[in-house]
Amino acid sequence: MKNRIVAAVLAVMVAGALTACSSGSKTESTTQTTAQATTQAAKETQAKTTEAKATEAKTTEAKATEAKTTEAKETEAKATEAKTTEAKATEAKTTEAKETEAKTTEAKTTEAKTTEAKAAEAKTTEAAATEAAETEAEKKLPEEAQYTIYNQTGEKVTEIKFTRNDTGKVALDEKSGLADGASTVLKIKKDSTVTDKTSFTFSFTTEGGYTAEYKTLGFEVAPMTLIAEDAKSGATPFKFEAPAEGASTEAEKATEAEATEKVTEKATEAKATEKVTEKTTEAATEAEEEKKVLPDKAEYTFNNKTGEQVTEIKLVDNTSKKVVEDLKDGLEDGKSVKVSIKKDSSITDKTSYTLTFTTKSGYKAEYKTLGFEVAGINLIAEDAKSGATPIEFVPEAETEAETEAATEAEEEKKELPDKAEYTFNNATGEKVTEIKLVDNTSKKVVEDLKDGLEDGKTVKVSIDKDSSITDKTSYTLTFTTKSGYKAEYKTLGFEVATIKLISEDAKSGATPIEFEK
């Protein structure tokens, strides 16, 4: 473009020169005209040059913009590709995690089903073993029940009694006594009413006043060693075995050998399943005990719920046999007290204590497996027990202040009747020869029905309220039946109540009466 403009200018200049030469002379006006034309051509050439440069600049800028746009698009495309790749990776991980979780859940479900199946199989095996043992026992029902009784209680046994559970009748009542260390053989003949379901309530009383009972003794030939209350390892007051050699008399050795052989055979069959269960339980218990973490100190909050004053609370270490706590001042009914034992090097997760407490009426209770722990414990009355345990563990230990407040609130609600009135219904199945009420505070007899009460009959007894009667007043109710059964209930309140007197074999617990609505 620039070259073409220069060429045009030169052409004009040459044409002018040629014109001048050919014409010989030019007028001044012609010269001026040529100069103006030249100037105008130069200006047009410069304008075109400027326009060309501007166009070139715009072209260059456009190319730069296009390059930047292309670069931006490439960058965006790469970023999008990277995000897509990352999303795919995340999705792959999520899928893998879900598959892993599904496999884990399936494995746990399979394991649970396997465990359940094994448990069901174990129960089936146990049931079969028990059934087999019972069937075998049925086949070997003796013609005569024969019990070789060994007295290992440490004192004289004054009475031994067998009562039929199905009829309630006393099958054997031996009152001649049995000296400590001695033995005797007691027999019960089989008659048409005896079957493999026949059982007896076996009881014995010692000279010191201890009365023990076992409610499911079979019609069998068996040795029975009577043991003291504090020598029991469980709830059973005797052992189905003979004592150490030398304890039996010569006259009884032959009987003992026969009885031992039969009982051993029966026990082997009956206890096969029990041993498996015991081992499983022991293993589970040991595993659980290994996990125990002991507190820095044991703390027991004892709440007196017996309905009377507790005169003493004692804790004895089962290993060292040392008394670690003895509250001789006792504890009022409804009150609470805290006892603490610091942990030292001798304390382990095997450490345990025997808790005993005694009430004002003479009831003595014992719990032999109290652990080194923090616990709230309710001391309960004998007739309030739902089983063999004379205490109840509460979820959180109650403070003394809380217990006192609850007791005061309860006392405010109590309103005594103008007179106590008891309606006694005789449901013992025999005549009741005497009914007696004794005031627990004064120890005076407030009522004594010596004429008794026929079976199925009812009698009312009233006691007028006087200044000595409070909401703490209570009575001990005793009644005696024609067969010699003597029953006692120690915490009868000053109230209006209908009370059923029940027989010994009809009791569902320790209480010989039932309150009726």
Side-chain angles (χ1 to χ4, degrees):
M1 177 68 72
K2 188 176 180 181
N3 292 332
R4 287 197 300 269
I5 293 171
V6 173
V9 174
L10 289 176
V12 172
M13 291 176 68
V14 170
L18 290 175
T19 301
C21 290
S22 65
S23 62
S25 65
K26 290 288 183 180
T27 62
E28 183 178 350
S29 60
T30 301
T31 302
Q32 288 177 350
T33 299
T34 301
Q36 288 176 353
T38 302
T39 302
Q40 183 65 32
K43 286 180 181 180
E44 289 177 358
T45 300
Q46 183 178 359
K48 290 180 180 180
T49 300
T50 301
E51 183 182 356
K53 288 180 179 180
T55 300
E56 183 178 0
K58 286 181 180 179
T59 302
T60 302
E61 182 179 357
K63 289 182 178 179
T65 300
E66 183 180 357
K68 287 181 180 180
T69 301
T70 302
E71 182 180 358
K73 287 181 178 180
E74 290 177 352
T75 302
E76 183 179 356
K78 288 179 181 179
T80 301
E81 183 180 357
K83 287 182 180 179
T84 302
T85 302
E86 182 179 358
K88 289 182 179 179
T90 302
E91 183 180 358
K93 289 181 179 179
T94 302
T95 302
E96 183 180 357
K98 287 182 178 179
E99 291 176 352
T100 302
E101 182 180 358
K103 289 179 180 178
T104 302
T105 302
E106 182 180 358
K108 288 183 178 178
T109 302
T110 302
E111 182 180 358
K113 288 181 179 178
T114 302
T115 302
E116 183 178 354
K118 288 182 178 178
E121 183 180 355
K123 287 183 180 179
T124 303
T125 303
E126 180 180 354
T130 302
E131 183 179 356
E134 290 176 351
T135 302
E136 188 64 23
E138 290 176 11
K139 295 178 182 178
K140 296 186 177 181
L141 197 66
E143 292 300 318
E144 181 180 62
Q146 185 171 287
Y147 309 95
T148 305
I149 311 295
Y150 301 91
N151 182 5
Q152 298 290 307
T153 63
E155 57 181 322
K156 182 180 179 181
V157 170
T158 57
E159 183 179 12
I160 301 173
K161 186 189 292 185
F162 294 80
T163 304
R164 280 276 293 263
N165 289 328
D166 52 353
T167 65
K169 293 182 179 180
V170 176
L172 180 62
D173 192 359
E174 179 58 56
K175 295 184 178 180
S176 60
L178 183 62
D180 180 42
S183 61
T184 186
V185 178
L186 300 179
K187 301 177 181 180
I188 301 175
K189 289 186 177 181
K190 180 181 172 186
D191 58 28
S192 59
T193 66
V194 175
T195 70
D196 56 282
K197 304 296 184 182
T198 299
S199 64
F200 301 92
T201 293
F202 169 74
S203 63
F204 67 88
T205 304
T206 66
E207 197 168 34
Y210 168 52
T211 297
E213 188 178 65
Y214 182 76
K215 295 186 177 182
T216 54
L217 184 64
F219 189 89
E220 57 192 303
V221 176
M224 300 169 63
T225 299
L226 312 184
I227 56 178
E229 184 174 20
D230 57 2
K232 292 192 300 181
S233 58
T236 308
F238 64 88
K239 298 177 180 178
F240 279 109
E241 59 185 31
E245 188 176 352
S248 59
T249 63
E250 290 296 329
E252 294 157 0
K253 284 185 177 179
T255 302
E256 178 187 338
E258 180 184 356
T260 301
E261 181 180 354
K262 290 183 178 180
V263 172
T264 300
E265 182 180 355
K266 179 180 177 181
T268 300
E269 294 171 345
K271 292 182 178 179
T273 304
E274 182 182 350
K275 286 182 179 180
V276 175
T277 304
E278 285 178 351
K279 286 182 180 179
T280 304
T281 303
E282 287 174 0
T285 302
E286 289 173 359
E288 183 62 27
E289 286 178 346
E290 287 176 0
K291 300 177 184 177
K292 286 183 179 177
V293 178
L294 296 179
D296 292 331
K297 66 177 179 179
E299 188 171 81
Y300 311 100
T301 301
F302 296 112
N303 306 312
N304 184 359
K305 304 288 187 180
T306 63
E308 58 178 321
Q309 182 179 357
V310 169
T311 55
E312 185 179 14
I313 300 174
K314 187 187 293 185
L315 289 174
V316 177
D317 188 296
N318 287 330
T319 303
S320 66
K321 305 302 179 184
K322 291 182 180 179
V323 177
V324 295
E325 188 63 54
D326 193 356
L327 302 178
K328 293 184 178 180
D329 293 337
L331 185 62
E332 291 292 330
D333 180 42
K335 302 291 184 181
S336 297
V337 65
K338 280 189 178 181
V339 172
S340 298
I341 303 173
K342 289 184 179 180
K343 186 169 74 172
D344 58 28
S345 58
S346 68
I347 303 294
T348 69
D349 55 8
K350 304 293 184 184
T351 298
S352 65
Y353 307 97
T354 293
L355 161 67
T356 59
F357 66 89
T358 307
T359 66
K360 190 173 181 179
S361 66
Y363 168 51
K364 186 173 182 179
E366 185 177 63
Y367 182 78
K368 294 184 177 182
T369 55
L370 185 62
F372 188 88
E373 57 192 304
V374 176
I377 298 171
N378 290 338
L379 311 181
I380 57 179
E382 185 174 19
D383 55 87
K385 293 191 300 181
S386 58
T389 307
I391 65 173
E392 292 174 340
F393 286 93
V394 293
E396 295 181 1
E398 301 175 13
T399 64
E400 184 172 356
E402 290 171 338
T403 304
E404 287 179 358
T407 302
E408 289 172 0
E410 183 65 26
E411 288 176 346
E412 287 176 0
K413 296 177 185 177
K414 288 184 179 178
E415 292 184 7
L416 295 178
D418 293 333
K419 65 178 179 179
E421 189 172 82
Y422 310 100
T423 302
F424 296 110
N425 299 324
N426 182 2
T428 62
E430 59 180 319
K431 181 179 180 179
V432 170
T433 56
E434 184 178 15
I435 301 174
K436 187 186 293 185
L437 288 174
V438 177
D439 188 297
N440 287 329
T441 303
S442 66
K443 304 302 180 184
K444 290 181 180 179
V445 176
V446 296
E447 189 64 56
D448 192 357
L449 301 178
K450 293 184 178 180
D451 292 336
L453 184 63
E454 293 293 331
D455 181 42
K457 299 296 182 180
T458 298
V459 65
K460 285 188 177 181
V461 172
S462 298
I463 303 173
D464 291 330
K465 185 171 74 172
D466 58 28
S467 58
S468 68
I469 303 296
T470 70
D471 54 12
K472 301 293 184 183
T473 298
S474 64
Y475 306 98
T476 293
L477 162 67
T478 59
F479 65 90
T480 306
T481 66
K482 190 173 181 179
S483 66
Y485 169 52
K486 186 173 183 179
E488 186 176 62
Y489 181 79
K490 295 183 178 181
T491 56
L492 185 63
F494 189 88
E495 58 191 305
V496 176
T498 300
I499 299 170
K500 182 192 289 185
L501 311 181
I502 57 180
S503 62
E504 185 174 19
D505 57 23
K507 291 192 301 181
S508 59
T511 308
I513 64 173
E514 291 178 359
F515 286 92
E516 298 182 319
K517 295 182 179 180

